[in-house]
Amino acid sequence: MVLLTMAHPDPSGHCRQDLENDVHFFDAADVPETDHWEAWLAYADLLTGAGDLRGEAIRLEHHCEIGDGDPARLAAAYAEVERQWGLDGLREDGSWRLTWSRGFIDEACFRLAKDTQPQRRELVERLLTDHPRTATVDLTDPEQWEAALIDVLLSHPAAHRLRALELHLTDYHRSAEHSAISLAGRRRPRLERMYFGYDFEYLYEDSEGSTGNRINPLDYHHKGLVQADVWDSLPALRTLELEGAFLFHFVKHDGLTRLRARGPVISDGSVFDFGWTTGLQSLEVEIGSDVFGCLCPVEQLDELKASKYPNLENLDLSEAEFDATSYEVVSALADSSVLPLLRSLSIRDLTISQMDCEGDPLTTLAELAPRFGHLDLYVGDVIDIEDADDEEVDRVLSQFGLSQIHATGDQGDD
């Protein structure tokens, strides 16, 4: 049983930890393992007896679920819980959006707020004084304040039962590793969905940090932004979204069923080789032009091997651009050992010109089509077979079970 003392406001209004005060149960054996409300109402009584405001919040939540509660009153109750535990400063900062359920934080989304930057040092100093933490943060470095805000929440026992987490990083050259350390600092038995990374327009372009300094992602090629191994602490993780360049050395999680990657998220620049993800059923890869005008080498598709993805059913490449023609991409996929496993495939476009092949484009399509006859094919943009009209293309595709081809763009004809 892990016990955390109750936090009471000091005369300045700040939260502090007092070892002489009543204990509160977060990771205790008393926390129900079931979803049945009877057990949770008994847990609520235990909390109320210990002076923990979460007990009343849980009862109000139960009333809301059965239809005779007041959502506004419930929201106010959890606001009081946050004040009791000194987490109200995180919400006031505006970087965290939190959802509570049954006395614990259920969903959390982080994106650094710009408007509250001027007063953030005072908040961070107070948080680092009042709360337990996992990562080591230098208060004098403003580029580490983002990491402090993340660490304080993830290290707090109230986040033990997180079900969904989004970490949209700004000072990622500092906070990516700190966040990983915080994640790995305790086991997350219910965390099912996670987003981790940073946004960008063009791959490898410099990013602007919170202080205006430039961050060059290429500094982390092979080095990787994250050294900590987080995967063993996330046993329930099923959906993972990674965005950015060179985030992790590998992903090692056979329980993962859906992965979305934007950019070469692995430190060696791999686009399709993530490490150990044999349980994947759905893979979505988005990659476009980098800041130098280069596109993803079509050879990266060689990493799509049945031995690495034995359970893959859905492959989405509708937002992936390669340094090759549409015909070359489709040909590479036709030869891939993973293709027979797929139930659905999404590609950007389907175009074949006389310059692409050594014969008639329509005949070439007829030679490729049987490879894809067992799956649903989605084409995000144009379908254009040179010297063939739409009816001829439809006829060829229908001969090989592709009459249900899903074209979300325009079909071209000559």
Side-chain angles (χ1 to χ4, degrees):
M1 178 182 296
V2 178
L3 305 178
L4 185 65
T5 56
M6 178 176 174
H8 289 277
D10 65 19
S12 67
H14 296 162
C15 176
R16 63 184 175 85
Q17 299 294 329
D18 187 342
L19 295 177
E20 301 300 324
N21 289 315
D22 294 337
V23 295
H24 285 253
F25 302 83
F26 279 98
D27 297 340
D30 309 88
V31 178
E33 293 295 328
T34 175
D35 288 334
H36 297 308
W37 271 109
E38 182 179 1
W40 281 97
L41 292 174
Y43 179 61
D45 291 340
L46 175 66
L47 294 174
T48 298
D52 192 326
L53 298 180
R54 292 181 300 139
E56 177 62 13
I58 290 172
R59 282 188 288 272
L60 290 171
E61 190 175 339
H62 175 246
H63 282 292
C64 286
E65 185 160 314
I66 63 177
D68 64 353
D70 182 352
R73 191 178 172 194
L74 174 61
Y78 273 123
E80 285 298 320
V81 169
E82 291 178 3
R83 277 190 283 273
Q84 184 182 45
W85 288 97
L87 297 175
D88 51 322
L90 290 177
R91 186 181 290 275
E92 292 168 3
D93 174 79
S95 299
W96 276 110
R97 290 189 290 108
L98 309 176
T99 301
W100 290 77
S101 177
R102 306 195 187 203
F104 292 86
I105 299 172
D106 185 56
E107 298 183 356
C109 177
F110 181 88
R111 192 187 301 272
L112 195 65
K114 294 181 179 180
D115 294 343
T116 51
Q117 176 79 5
Q119 59 262 39
R120 188 161 292 136
R121 177 180 179 131
E122 180 183 352
L123 171 63
V124 170
E125 184 174 9
R126 186 167 78 246
L127 292 172
L128 294 182
T129 300
D130 292 345
H131 291 274
R133 54 190 183 277
T134 303
T136 301
V137 178
D138 181 1
L139 176 63
T140 65
D141 182 1
E143 291 184 342
Q144 296 193 38
W145 294 350
E146 174 178 74
L149 297 181
I150 293 172
D151 184 55
V152 164
L153 184 77
L154 293 184
S155 298
H156 199 283
H160 172 64
R161 287 173 56 84
L162 265 176
R163 188 170 50 87
L165 174 64
E166 295 183 25
L167 296 177
H168 300 265
L169 307 178
T170 298
D171 295 316
Y172 57 84
H173 61 313
R174 300 281 188 264
S175 55
E177 173 68 0
H178 283 92
S179 299
I181 292 172
S182 302
L183 278 170
R186 65 165 55 238
R187 191 171 175 83
R188 315 281 170 173
R190 297 181 72 248
L191 188 60
E192 300 174 353
R193 307 191 310 272
M194 183 171 74
Y195 169 97
F196 190 106
Y198 62 89
D199 191 20
F200 60 90
E201 182 175 2
Y202 294 105
L203 189 60
Y204 307 142
E205 69 179 348
D206 284 359
S207 302
E208 182 177 322
S210 62
T211 63
N213 290 337
R214 308 302 293 181
I215 308 168
N216 184 357
L218 289 171
D219 289 343
Y220 299 91
H221 189 203
H222 291 294
K223 177 182 176 182
L225 283 158
V226 173
Q227 310 301 316
D229 184 354
V230 304
W231 310 114
D232 287 343
S233 66
L234 310 174
L237 191 65
R238 295 297 177 265
T239 297
L240 176 64
E241 295 188 54
L242 299 175
E243 186 171 16
F246 318 131
L247 297 176
F248 295 93
H249 288 308
F250 55 82
V251 177
K252 187 177 182 180
H253 202 302
D254 288 337
L256 205 62
T257 57
R258 176 178 177 264
L259 174 60
R260 175 184 177 270
R262 181 173 181 241
V265 299
I266 301 304
S267 59
D268 66 359
S270 295
V271 177
F272 295 99
D273 187 3
F274 300 95
W276 297 269
T277 54
T278 56
L280 274 187
Q281 298 173 14
S282 178
L283 174 60
E284 179 181 344
V285 173
E286 179 180 343
I287 190 162
S289 173
D290 65 24
V291 74
F292 308 108
C294 300
L295 294 171
C296 179
V298 71
E299 290 78 14
Q300 288 268 12
L301 288 170
D302 294 342
E303 297 296 339
L304 283 172
K305 299 177 181 178
S307 58
K308 293 181 179 179
Y309 300 103
N311 296 292
L312 192 63
E313 297 181 353
N314 307 300
L315 177 61
D316 188 346
L317 303 178
S318 60
E319 298 296 331
E321 296 183 75
F322 297 92
D323 64 349
T325 65
S326 169
Y327 169 70
E328 290 172 322
V329 171
V330 172
S331 295
L333 290 169
D335 293 334
S336 174
S337 62
V338 82
L339 185 68
L341 305 177
L342 299 181
R343 296 173 57 187
S344 73
L345 171 65
S346 299
I347 57 177
R348 285 182 62 85
D349 55 23
L350 177 59
T351 65
I352 304 176
S353 69
Q354 291 184 354
M355 293 183 62
D356 295 331
C357 58
E358 295 181 355
D360 173 57
L362 191 63
T363 302
T364 300
L365 176 65
E367 293 171 351
L368 283 173
R371 309 277 190 95
F372 301 89
H374 64 287
L375 52 76
D376 288 329
L377 182 63
Y378 296 82
V379 181
D381 200 353
V382 67
I383 300 175
D384 187 4
I385 310 302
E386 189 174 5
D387 293 334
D389 59 29
D390 292 347
E391 292 184 358
E392 291 177 307
V393 172
D394 289 342
R395 176 179 53 77
V396 169
L397 294 175
S398 64
Q399 288 177 352
F400 301 101
L402 286 170
S403 58
Q404 298 303 311
I405 188 170
H406 307 273
T408 56
D410 295 328
Q411 283 192 277
D413 56 33
D414 297 295

